[in-house]
Amino acid sequence: MKLSVNVDHVATLREARGGLEPDPVTAAHIAELAGADGIVCHLREDRRHINDRDLRLLRETIKTKLDLEMAATEEMIKIAIETLPDLVTLVPERRLERTTERGLNVVDQIPYLSDVVLEMHKHDIKVSLFVDPDPKQVEAAAKTGADFIEIHTGEYANARNEKAQYEELQKIKEIAKLARRLGLGVNAGHGLNYLNVIPITKIEEIEELSIGHAIVARAIFVGFERAVREMVRIVKGI
Ligand code: PXP
């Protein structure tokens, strides 16, 4: 299974101060050095974390592959065509949400999304549709001509107890199988961490995971002690 690392929340930290650091582009390079198979970023309409400069530099400098998460709006479609990411993952976007809260409603937008897929294909960009583990959405995704689905693992990750988590896992397994039968590639992501990812890695039909928040959160703690020690040395002159 492959891992693509989402660097959005490195940019979230930068935006908290409105300066230049930490730079999500540097994070992407480190992720590649550490063995990531790809880099993901979500360019939101409000540019709350990743901005146009980040996207441009990521495209120019990363050596693996770039997955641009975006809403299927006119503005974003234009940006995708200018940037030429390797993959576009279409997600629903609501201005007031903290993060992507649900999968796309593909069922109600098959003609529109089919046009978007066609436009992306004209520019050699593959398309993935972020969907809840719902057979109707996956069947609709296949009708649009998309190359992949990304299964939304948020319900699984946020399940209240083991039983609910087990049920969500079964749904994900079934959906992965269905998608493969329909000729779609299968990715998955959202809310995956160092524990709940383990059962997901056993699902053979899933090609790639997209993980961001848990990695950025862990980076703070695995790096915090060293960062403090370095500052202690400078401040104490030792
Ligand atoms: N996949 C999609 C479509 C997402 O919107 C996100 C969140 O940006 C992720 C994966 C990664 O989720 P997380 O940051 O919780 O790992």
Side-chain angles (χ1 to χ4, degrees):
M1 194 174 283
K2 292 183 185 158
L3 170 67
S4 272
V5 174
N6 178 314
V7 294
D8 291 354
H9 297 306
V10 177
T12 301
L13 198 55
R14 175 190 62 193
E15 295 307 309
R17 276 292 170 94
L20 296 174
E21 282 183 324
D23 192 333
V25 181
T26 309
H29 298 157
I30 293 172
E32 287 189 323
L33 282 173
D37 299 291
I39 301 298
V40 189
C41 68
H42 184 173
L43 186 68
R44 282 181 168 268
E45 184 194 20
D46 62 9
R47 310 299 196 266
R48 72 172 72 155
H49 38 55
I50 294 294
N51 60 35
D52 301 68
R53 165 267 185 203
D54 299 333
L55 178 62
R56 194 178 63 250
L57 289 182
L58 286 170
R59 174 66 297 177
E60 282 178 18
T61 61
I62 68 167
K63 294 162 200 72
T64 53
K65 62 189 174 65
L66 179 63
D67 173 3
L68 171 61
E69 261 181 44
M70 60 179 222
T73 60
E74 237 175 77
E75 182 201 11
M76 290 300 154
I77 290 165
K78 186 165 170 282
I79 290 174
I81 291 168
E82 283 162 12
T83 313
L84 300 177
D86 301 283
L87 177 72
V88 148
T89 298
L90 299 177
V91 298
E93 200 172 291
R94 289 195 311 132
R95 232 175 252 193
L96 296 180
E97 69 188 359
R98 278 210 196 149
T99 177
T100 315
E101 287 168 349
R102 67 193 70 174
L104 272 176
N105 181 351
V106 187
V107 172
D108 288 348
Q109 311 181 70
I110 295 177
Y112 178 68
L113 290 171
S114 303
D115 286 351
V116 178
V117 169
L118 200 63
E119 188 63 23
M120 293 295 117
H121 282 174
K122 269 193 215 155
H123 295 88
D124 241 1
I125 303 168
K126 289 199 164 36
V127 182
S128 178
L129 304 181
F130 185 56
V131 292
D132 293 332
D134 169 351
K136 287 197 204 84
Q137 297 296 345
V138 176
E139 281 156 11
K143 289 185 186 147
T144 66
D147 307 279
F148 290 86
I149 55 160
E150 180 179 327
I151 303 174
H152 184 5
T153 53
E155 289 288 323
Y156 163 78
N158 296 328
R160 278 168 294 113
N161 52 47
E162 270 183 29
K163 181 171 173 283
Q165 191 171 48
Y166 178 79
E167 284 167 8
E168 287 301 325
L169 184 64
Q170 299 316 307
K171 277 195 214 166
I172 293 169
K173 284 183 184 171
E174 301 277 304
I175 285 303
K177 284 204 176 79
L178 171 64
R180 294 292 300 143
R181 278 204 302 278
L182 294 170
L184 291 157
V186 184
N187 299 331
H190 208 283
L192 297 177
N193 62 32
Y194 291 78
L195 291 176
N196 67 20
V197 73
I198 296 167
I200 299 286
T201 63
K202 311 267 187 327
I203 304 175
E204 279 172 19
E205 289 81 7
I206 298 180
E207 243 173 76
E208 184 160 307
L209 300 180
S210 166
I211 306 182
H213 187 266
I215 295 174
V216 175
R218 189 169 177 86
I220 290 177
F221 289 136
V222 298
F224 203 68
E225 183 184 348
R226 174 169 161 188
V228 173
R229 280 186 195 287
E230 286 175 2
M231 189 59 84
V232 165
R233 265 198 222 115
I234 295 167
V235 169
K236 295 187 187 301
I238 52 178

